[in-house]
Amino acid sequence: MNAIYLDNAATTKVKPEVLAKMLPYFTDVFGNPGSVHAFGRSAKLAIDKAREQVAKAIGANASEITFTASGTEADNIALIGAAIRNQKKGKHIITSAIEHHAVLHTAEHLAKQGFDVTYLPVDADGIVSPETLESAIREDTTVVSVMAANNEIGTIQPIRELAEIARKHGALFHTDAVQAVGSIPINVHELGVDMLSLSAHKFHGPKGIGALYLKKGVRVDALEFGGSQERGLRPGTENVPYIVGLGEAAELATRGLQEKAERVARLRDKLIDGILERVPYSRLNGHRMRRLPNNSNISIRFVEGESLLLTLDMAGIAASSGSACTSGSLDPSHVLLAIGLTHEIAHGSLRLTLSDETTEEEIDRVLEVLPNIAQRLRKMSPLWEDFQFRDKNSDNSNDKNSGRKEQLCTLN
Ligand SMILES: *Cc1c(COP(=O)(O)O)cnc(C)c1O
């Protein structure tokens, strides 16, 4: 039995077609794109083509695409670059409580530099309502950043409505679309965004390459200084093979996207319904319908997420968890807490993210082994014991075991 990879929100496999396009740019076409000779010109042409491919994937113009070292770097340039650029106008920025750390920690950095940051709350499904933005936005708000789709619970945000509110109030709108691009159709004009981040390794391209869309006319300050590459916004000799890989992956991912997404969503629903049916005291996190086609996130009460991951791994199934331990902190995922889960329930969460290569057989296999694993782990849980005891003696309010909440963490 081959290992089953269901952690595609963390990263994806590079498609062989993408790798094949990249390889010549390490050896044959190795010139510096800034050189005037034929070697350089060929490399420059490859970058131009990739810029067109990325632009086309999101409905933008090639001149609006800046290549970056990662999705994280794109988020940093967008937020810090726009905040600094507009600081004379105001020092208030708005983001959401469930952003990826690439945005959240960047906002915290700006707060330390004297910016005022508002973190919009989300509802129980993880949705940022336009009304909350409307009431938080101020005269001195310069940048609003809300992710297109969440990496943990898959919830898709009403970006068009949110961006419209920002526009009405004269603030720039950025969206971290790293999970969305290549998973759902994304068009910058339909969304009305000023800035958008994407990353190749989330849609079967290589790790360590991303892009920032900056709408024509939108200016942000550079964070790094050097040559004039990427119009000086992201200096440094271009990573030609990876840029080529990003372009190719963007084209491949968006080709026939609707059909691919429908197929993946059907498997996702089979997985979600199957788990909820077979595992008692389990719940789905994130919106049932407004979610990424490849995302399932389930909390299984009285089971510790880390143990679940390790046991699944031994059974050849790669998953992820919102439990705290892998991050080295004691708090569970900020996203799961923001949608209102208790620490205990958040600790028992499991994220299974599919790709267009996931098969029905793989989903069947997970549905076969997961319920047994959950049941086995539950039997070892003191919380489960307490719960059953309390269930049988529901008038027993003397909870002498309430201090037994610590979880066993395997730090890595
Ligand atoms: C993966 C991810 C990032 C970071 O992208 P990198 O290219 O890995 O730096 C940012 N935001 C979201 C939503 C992501 O899923």
Coordinates of all heavy atoms in Angstrom, one line a residue, residues 92-169:
H92 N -3.4 53.4 10.2 CA -4.3 52.3 10.7 C -4.4 51.2 9.6 O -4.6 51.5 8.4 CB -5.7 52.9 11.0 CG -6.7 51.9 11.4 ND1 -7.9 51.8 10.9 CD2 -6.5 50.9 12.4 CE1 -8.6 50.8 11.6 NE2 -7.7 50.2 12.4
I93 N -4.1 50.0 10.0 CA -4.3 48.9 9.0 C -5.3 47.9 9.6 O -5.4 47.7 10.8 CB -3.0 48.3 8.5 CG1 -2.3 47.5 9.7 CG2 -2.0 49.3 7.9 CD1 -1.1 46.8 9.2
I94 N -5.9 47.2 8.7 CA -6.9 46.2 9.2 C -6.6 44.8 8.6 O -6.3 44.7 7.4 CB -8.4 46.6 8.7 CG1 -8.7 48.0 9.4 CG2 -9.4 45.6 9.1 CD1 -10.1 48.5 9.0
T95 N -6.7 43.8 9.4 CA -6.6 42.5 8.8 C -7.6 41.6 9.6 O -8.4 42.1 10.3 CB -5.1 42.0 8.9 OG1 -5.0 40.7 8.2 CG2 -4.6 41.8 10.3
S96 N -7.5 40.3 9.4 CA -8.4 39.4 10.1 C -7.7 38.6 11.2 O -6.5 38.4 11.1 CB -9.2 38.5 9.2 OG -8.5 37.3 8.9
A97 N -8.5 38.0 12.1 CA -7.9 37.2 13.2 C -7.4 35.8 12.7 O -6.7 35.1 13.4 CB -8.9 37.0 14.3
I98 N -7.8 35.5 11.5 CA -7.5 34.1 11.0 C -6.4 34.0 9.9 O -6.4 33.0 9.2 CB -8.7 33.3 10.6 CG1 -9.4 34.0 9.4 CG2 -9.7 33.2 11.8 CD1 -10.4 33.1 8.7
E99 N -5.7 35.1 9.7 CA -4.7 35.2 8.6 C -3.6 34.2 8.9 O -3.3 33.8 10.0 CB -4.1 36.6 8.5 CG -5.1 37.6 8.1 CD -5.7 37.5 6.7 OE1 -4.9 37.2 5.8 OE2 -6.9 37.5 6.6
H100 N -2.9 33.8 7.8 CA -1.7 33.0 7.9 C -0.6 33.9 8.7 O -0.7 35.1 8.6 CB -1.2 32.7 6.5 CG 0.0 31.8 6.4 ND1 1.3 32.2 6.5 CD2 0.1 30.5 6.2 CE1 2.1 31.2 6.4 NE2 1.4 30.1 6.2
H101 N 0.3 33.2 9.3 CA 1.3 34.0 10.0 C 2.1 35.0 9.2 O 2.6 36.0 9.7 CB 2.3 33.0 10.8 CG 1.7 32.4 12.0 ND1 2.0 31.2 12.4 CD2 0.7 32.9 12.8 CE1 1.2 30.9 13.5 NE2 0.5 31.9 13.8
A102 N 2.2 34.7 7.9 CA 2.9 35.6 7.0 C 2.3 37.0 7.0 O 2.9 38.0 6.8 CB 2.9 35.0 5.5
V103 N 1.0 37.0 7.2 CA 0.3 38.3 7.3 C 0.2 38.8 8.8 O 0.5 39.9 9.1 CB -1.1 38.3 6.7 CG1 -2.0 39.5 7.1 CG2 -1.0 38.2 5.2
L104 N -0.2 37.8 9.7 CA -0.4 38.1 11.1 C 0.8 38.7 11.7 O 0.8 39.7 12.4 CB -0.9 36.9 11.8 CG -2.1 37.0 12.8 CD1 -3.2 37.8 12.2 CD2 -2.6 35.6 13.1
H105 N 2.0 38.0 11.6 CA 3.2 38.4 12.2 C 3.8 39.7 11.5 O 4.4 40.5 12.2 CB 4.2 37.3 12.2 CG 3.9 36.2 13.1 ND1 4.5 34.9 13.1 CD2 2.9 36.1 14.1 CE1 3.9 34.1 14.0 NE2 3.0 34.8 14.7
T106 N 3.4 39.9 10.3 CA 3.8 41.1 9.6 C 3.0 42.3 10.2 O 3.6 43.4 10.4 CB 3.6 41.0 8.1 OG1 4.4 39.9 7.6 CG2 4.0 42.3 7.3
A107 N 1.8 42.1 10.4 CA 0.9 43.1 11.1 C 1.4 43.4 12.5 O 1.5 44.6 12.9 CB -0.5 42.6 11.1
E108 N 1.8 42.4 13.2 CA 2.4 42.6 14.5 C 3.7 43.4 14.5 O 3.9 44.2 15.3 CB 2.6 41.2 15.2 CG 1.4 40.6 15.7 CD 1.5 39.1 16.1 OE1 2.7 38.7 16.4 OE2 0.5 38.4 16.2
H109 N 4.5 43.1 13.5 CA 5.7 43.9 13.3 C 5.4 45.4 13.1 O 6.0 46.3 13.7 CB 6.5 43.3 12.1 CG 7.6 44.2 11.6 ND1 8.8 44.4 12.3 CD2 7.7 45.1 10.6 CE1 9.5 45.3 11.6 NE2 8.9 45.7 10.6
L110 N 4.4 45.6 12.2 CA 4.0 47.0 11.9 C 3.4 47.7 13.2 O 3.7 48.8 13.4 CB 2.9 47.0 10.8 CG 3.5 46.9 9.4 CD1 2.3 46.6 8.4 CD2 4.3 48.1 9.0
A111 N 2.7 46.9 14.0 CA 2.2 47.4 15.3 C 3.4 47.9 16.2 O 3.3 49.0 16.8 CB 1.4 46.4 16.0
K112 N 4.5 47.1 16.2 CA 5.6 47.5 17.0 C 6.3 48.8 16.4 O 7.0 49.5 17.1 CB 6.7 46.4 17.0 CG 6.3 45.3 17.9 CD 7.5 44.4 18.2 CE 7.1 43.0 18.5 NZ 7.5 41.9 17.6
Q113 N 6.1 49.0 15.1 CA 6.7 50.2 14.5 C 5.7 51.4 14.6 O 6.0 52.5 14.0 CB 6.9 50.0 13.0 CG 7.7 48.8 12.6 CD 9.1 48.8 13.1 OE1 9.8 49.8 12.9 NE2 9.6 47.8 13.9
G114 N 4.7 51.3 15.4 CA 3.8 52.4 15.6 C 2.5 52.5 14.8 O 1.8 53.4 14.9
F115 N 2.3 51.4 14.1 CA 1.0 51.4 13.3 C -0.1 50.8 14.3 O 0.2 50.0 15.2 CB 1.1 50.5 12.1 CG 1.9 51.1 11.0 CD1 3.3 51.1 11.0 CD2 1.3 51.9 10.0 CE1 4.0 51.7 9.9 CE2 2.0 52.5 9.0 CZ 3.4 52.4 9.0
D116 N -1.3 51.2 14.0 CA -2.5 50.8 14.7 C -3.1 49.6 13.9 O -3.5 49.8 12.8 CB -3.4 52.0 14.9 CG -4.5 51.7 15.9 OD1 -4.5 50.7 16.5 OD2 -5.4 52.6 16.0
V117 N -3.2 48.5 14.5 CA -3.7 47.3 13.8 C -5.1 46.8 14.3 O -5.1 46.6 15.6 CB -2.7 46.1 13.7 CG1 -3.3 45.0 12.9 CG2 -1.4 46.6 13.2
T118 N -6.1 46.7 13.5 CA -7.3 46.1 13.9 C -7.4 44.7 13.4 O -7.2 44.5 12.2 CB -8.5 46.9 13.5 OG1 -8.4 48.2 14.0 CG2 -9.8 46.3 13.9
Y119 N -7.7 43.7 14.2 CA -7.9 42.3 13.7 C -9.4 42.0 13.7 O -10.0 41.9 14.8 CB -7.2 41.3 14.7 CG -5.7 41.6 14.7 CD1 -5.1 42.4 15.7 CD2 -4.8 41.0 13.8 CE1 -3.8 42.7 15.8 CE2 -3.4 41.3 13.9 CZ -2.9 42.1 14.9 OH -1.6 42.4 14.9
L120 N -9.9 41.9 12.5 CA -11.4 41.6 12.4 C -11.7 40.2 12.9 O -11.0 39.2 12.6 CB -11.9 41.7 11.0 CG -11.7 43.1 10.3 CD1 -12.1 43.1 8.9 CD2 -12.5 44.2 11.1
P121 N -12.8 40.1 13.7 CA -13.2 38.7 14.2 C -13.9 38.0 13.1 O -14.2 38.6 12.0 CB -14.1 39.1 15.3 CG -14.7 40.4 14.9 CD -13.6 41.1 14.2
V122 N -14.1 36.7 13.2 CA -14.8 35.9 12.2 C -16.0 35.3 12.9 O -16.0 35.1 14.2 CB -13.9 34.9 11.6 CG1 -12.8 35.5 10.8 CG2 -13.3 33.9 12.6
D123 N -16.9 34.8 12.1 CA -18.1 34.1 12.7 C -17.7 32.6 13.0 O -16.5 32.2 12.7 CB -19.4 34.2 11.9 CG -19.3 33.5 10.5 OD1 -18.3 32.7 10.3 OD2 -20.1 33.8 9.7
A124 N -18.6 31.8 13.4 CA -18.3 30.4 13.8 C -17.9 29.6 12.6 O -17.2 28.5 12.7 CB -19.6 29.8 14.4
D125 N -18.1 30.0 11.3 CA -17.6 29.3 10.1 C -16.3 29.9 9.6 O -15.8 29.4 8.7 CB -18.7 29.5 9.0 CG -19.9 28.6 9.3 OD1 -19.8 27.6 9.9 OD2 -21.0 29.1 8.9
G126 N -15.9 31.0 10.3 CA -14.6 31.6 9.9 C -14.7 32.6 8.8 O -13.8 33.0 8.1
I127 N -15.9 33.2 8.7 CA -16.1 34.2 7.7 C -16.0 35.6 8.3 O -16.6 35.9 9.4 CB -17.5 34.0 7.0 CG1 -17.4 32.7 6.1 CG2 -17.9 35.2 6.1 CD1 -18.7 32.3 5.5
V128 N -15.3 36.5 7.6 CA -15.2 37.9 7.9 C -16.4 38.6 7.3 O -16.6 38.6 6.0 CB -14.0 38.6 7.4 CG1 -13.9 40.1 7.7 CG2 -12.7 37.9 7.9
S129 N -17.3 39.2 8.1 CA -18.5 39.8 7.4 C -18.2 41.2 7.0 O -17.4 41.9 7.7 CB -19.7 39.8 8.4 OG -19.6 40.9 9.3
P130 N -18.7 41.6 5.8 CA -18.5 43.0 5.3 C -18.9 44.0 6.4 O -18.2 45.1 6.5 CB -19.4 43.0 4.1 CG -19.4 41.6 3.6 CD -19.4 40.8 4.9
E131 N -19.9 43.7 7.2 CA -20.4 44.7 8.2 C -19.3 45.0 9.2 O -19.1 46.1 9.7 CB -21.6 44.2 8.9 CG -22.9 44.1 8.0 CD -22.8 42.9 7.0 OE1 -22.3 41.8 7.4 OE2 -23.3 43.1 5.9
T132 N -18.5 43.9 9.6 CA -17.5 44.2 10.6 C -16.4 45.1 10.0 O -15.8 45.9 10.7 CB -16.8 42.8 11.1 OG1 -17.0 41.8 10.1 CG2 -17.2 42.4 12.4
L133 N -16.1 44.9 8.7 CA -15.1 45.7 8.1 C -15.6 47.2 8.0 O -14.9 48.1 8.4 CB -14.7 45.2 6.7 CG -13.8 46.1 5.9 CD1 -12.5 46.4 6.7 CD2 -13.5 45.6 4.5
E134 N -16.9 47.3 7.6 CA -17.5 48.6 7.5 C -17.4 49.4 8.8 O -17.1 50.6 8.8 CB -19.0 48.4 7.1 CG -19.7 49.7 6.7 CD -19.3 50.3 5.4 OE1 -19.6 49.6 4.3 OE2 -18.7 51.4 5.4
S135 N -17.6 48.7 9.9 CA -17.6 49.4 11.2 C -16.2 49.6 11.8 O -16.0 50.4 12.6 CB -18.5 48.7 12.2 OG -18.1 47.4 12.4
A136 N -15.2 48.9 11.2 CA -13.8 49.0 11.7 C -13.0 50.0 10.9 O -12.0 50.6 11.4 CB -13.1 47.7 11.7
I137 N -13.4 50.2 9.7 CA -12.6 51.1 8.8 C -12.8 52.6 9.2 O -13.8 53.0 9.6 CB -13.0 50.8 7.3 CG1 -11.9 51.2 6.4 CG2 -14.3 51.5 6.9 CD1 -12.0 50.6 5.0
R138 N -11.6 53.3 9.1 CA -11.6 54.7 9.5 C -11.0 55.6 8.5 O -10.5 55.1 7.5 CB -10.7 54.8 10.8 CG -11.0 53.8 11.9 CD -10.4 54.0 13.2 NE -8.9 54.3 13.1 CZ -8.1 53.8 14.0 NH1 -8.5 53.0 15.0 NH2 -6.8 54.1 13.9
E139 N -11.0 56.8 8.8 CA -10.4 57.9 7.9 C -8.9 57.6 7.7 O -8.4 57.8 6.6 CB -10.6 59.1 8.8 CG -10.6 60.4 8.1 CD -11.6 60.8 7.1 OE1 -12.4 59.9 6.6 OE2 -11.6 61.9 6.7
D140 N -8.3 57.1 8.7 CA -6.8 56.9 8.6 C -6.4 55.5 8.3 O -5.3 55.1 8.4 CB -6.1 57.3 9.9 CG -6.6 56.5 11.1 OD1 -7.7 55.9 11.1 OD2 -5.9 56.5 12.2
T141 N -7.4 54.7 7.8 CA -7.1 53.3 7.4 C -6.5 53.4 6.0 O -7.0 53.9 5.1 CB -8.4 52.4 7.3 OG1 -9.1 52.5 8.6 CG2 -8.0 51.0 7.1
T142 N -5.3 52.8 5.9 CA -4.6 52.8 4.5 C -4.6 51.5 3.9 O -4.6 51.4 2.6 CB -3.2 53.3 4.7 OG1 -2.5 52.5 5.6 CG2 -3.1 54.8 5.1
V143 N -4.5 50.4 4.6 CA -4.4 49.0 4.1 C -5.4 48.1 4.8 O -5.5 48.1 6.0 CB -3.0 48.5 4.2 CG1 -2.9 47.2 3.4 CG2 -1.9 49.5 3.8
V144 N -6.1 47.3 4.0 CA -6.9 46.2 4.5 C -6.4 44.9 3.9 O -6.3 44.9 2.7 CB -8.4 46.4 4.2 CG1 -9.3 45.3 4.7 CG2 -8.9 47.8 4.7
S145 N -6.2 43.9 4.7 CA -5.7 42.6 4.2 C -6.5 41.5 4.7 O -6.5 41.2 5.9 CB -4.2 42.4 4.5 OG -3.8 41.2 4.0
V146 N -7.3 40.8 3.9 CA -8.1 39.7 4.3 C -7.8 38.5 3.3 O -7.8 38.7 2.0 CB -9.6 40.0 4.3 CG1 -10.4 38.7 4.7 CG2 -9.9 41.1 5.3
M147 N -7.5 37.4 3.8 CA -7.1 36.2 2.9 C -8.3 35.8 2.1 O -9.4 35.8 2.5 CB -6.5 35.1 3.7 CG -7.5 34.4 4.6 SD -6.7 33.5 6.0 CE -5.4 32.7 5.3
A148 N -8.0 35.3 0.9 CA -9.0 34.8 0.0 C -9.7 33.5 0.5 O -10.9 33.3 0.5 CB -8.5 34.6 -1.4
A149 N -8.8 32.6 1.0 CA -9.3 31.4 1.6 C -8.3 30.9 2.6 O -7.1 31.1 2.5 CB -9.4 30.3 0.5
N150 N -8.9 30.4 3.7 CA -8.0 30.0 4.9 C -7.3 28.7 4.7 O -7.9 27.7 4.2 CB -8.9 30.0 6.1 CG -8.1 29.8 7.4 OD1 -7.9 28.6 7.8 ND2 -7.5 30.8 7.9
N151 N -6.1 28.7 5.1 CA -5.2 27.5 4.9 C -5.6 26.4 5.9 O -5.3 25.2 5.6 CB -3.7 27.9 5.0 CG -3.5 28.7 6.2 OD1 -4.0 29.8 6.4 ND2 -2.6 28.2 7.1
E152 N -6.2 26.7 7.0 CA -6.5 25.6 7.9 C -7.9 25.1 7.8 O -8.1 23.8 7.7 CB -6.4 26.1 9.4 CG -4.9 26.4 9.7 CD -4.7 26.8 11.2 OE1 -5.4 26.1 12.0 OE2 -3.9 27.7 11.5
I153 N -8.9 25.9 7.7 CA -10.3 25.5 7.7 C -10.9 25.6 6.3 O -12.1 25.3 6.1 CB -11.2 26.1 8.7 CG1 -11.1 27.7 8.6 CG2 -10.7 25.7 10.1 CD1 -12.1 28.4 9.5
G154 N -10.2 26.2 5.3 CA -10.6 26.3 3.9 C -11.7 27.3 3.6 O -12.2 27.4 2.5
T155 N -12.2 28.1 4.6 CA -13.3 29.0 4.4 C -12.9 30.1 3.4 O -11.8 30.7 3.4 CB -13.7 29.7 5.7 OG1 -14.1 28.7 6.6 CG2 -14.8 30.7 5.5
I156 N -13.8 30.3 2.4 CA -13.6 31.3 1.4 C -14.3 32.6 1.8 O -15.4 32.6 2.2 CB -14.1 30.8 0.0 CG1 -13.4 29.5 -0.4 CG2 -14.0 31.9 -1.1 CD1 -14.0 28.8 -1.5
Q157 N -13.5 33.7 1.7 CA -14.0 35.0 2.2 C -14.8 35.8 1.1 O -14.4 35.6 -0.1 CB -12.9 35.9 2.7 CG -12.1 35.3 3.9 CD -12.9 35.0 5.1 OE1 -14.0 35.6 5.3 NE2 -12.4 34.2 6.0
P158 N -15.7 36.6 1.5 CA -16.4 37.5 0.5 C -15.5 38.6 0.0 O -15.8 39.8 0.4 CB -17.6 38.0 1.3 CG -17.2 38.0 2.7 CD -16.2 36.9 2.9
I159 N -14.4 38.3 -0.7 CA -13.4 39.3 -1.0 C -14.0 40.5 -1.8 O -13.6 41.6 -1.6 CB -12.3 38.6 -1.8 CG1 -11.5 37.6 -0.9 CG2 -11.3 39.6 -2.3 CD1 -10.9 38.2 0.4
R160 N -14.9 40.2 -2.8 CA -15.4 41.3 -3.6 C -16.1 42.3 -2.8 O -15.8 43.5 -2.9 CB -16.4 40.7 -4.7 CG -16.8 41.7 -5.7 CD -17.0 41.0 -7.1 NE -17.8 39.8 -6.9 CZ -19.2 39.8 -7.0 NH1 -19.9 40.9 -7.2 NH2 -19.8 38.6 -6.8
E161 N -16.9 41.9 -1.8 CA -17.6 42.8 -0.9 C -16.7 43.6 0.0 O -16.8 44.8 0.2 CB -18.7 42.1 -0.1 CG -19.9 41.5 -0.8 CD -19.6 40.2 -1.5 OE1 -18.4 39.8 -1.6 OE2 -20.6 39.6 -2.0
L162 N -15.7 42.9 0.5 CA -14.7 43.5 1.4 C -13.9 44.5 0.7 O -13.6 45.6 1.2 CB -13.8 42.4 2.1 CG -14.6 41.4 3.0 CD1 -13.6 40.2 3.3 CD2 -15.1 42.0 4.2
A163 N -13.4 44.1 -0.5 CA -12.5 45.0 -1.3 C -13.3 46.3 -1.7 O -12.8 47.4 -1.7 CB -12.0 44.3 -2.6
E164 N -14.6 46.1 -2.0 CA -15.5 47.3 -2.3 C -15.5 48.3 -1.2 O -15.5 49.5 -1.4 CB -16.8 46.7 -2.7 CG -17.9 47.8 -3.0 CD -17.6 48.7 -4.1 OE1 -16.8 48.3 -5.0 OE2 -18.2 49.8 -4.1
I165 N -15.6 47.8 0.0 CA -15.7 48.7 1.2 C -14.4 49.4 1.4 O -14.4 50.6 1.6 CB -16.0 47.8 2.5 CG1 -17.4 47.3 2.4 CG2 -15.9 48.7 3.7 CD1 -17.8 46.2 3.4
A166 N -13.3 48.7 1.2 CA -12.0 49.4 1.3 C -11.9 50.5 0.2 O -11.4 51.6 0.5 CB -10.8 48.4 1.1
R167 N -12.3 50.2 -1.0 CA -12.2 51.1 -2.1 C -13.0 52.4 -1.8 O -12.5 53.5 -2.0 CB -12.7 50.5 -3.4 CG -12.2 51.2 -4.7 CD -13.1 50.7 -5.9 NE -14.5 50.8 -5.7 CZ -15.2 52.0 -5.7 NH1 -14.6 53.1 -5.9 NH2 -16.5 52.0 -5.5
K168 N -14.2 52.1 -1.3 CA -15.1 53.2 -0.9 C -14.5 54.2 0.1 O -14.7 55.4 0.1 CB -16.4 52.7 -0.4 CG -17.7 53.3 -0.8 CD -18.9 52.5 -0.3 CE -18.9 52.3 1.2 NZ -19.9 51.3 1.6
H169 N -13.6 53.6 1.0 CA -13.0 54.5 2.0 C -11.6 54.9 1.7 O -10.9 55.4 2.5 CB -13.1 53.7 3.3 CG -14.5 53.5 3.9 ND1 -15.0 54.4 4.8 CD2 -15.4 52.6 3.7 CE1 -16.3 54.1 5.1 NE2 -16.5 52.9 4.4

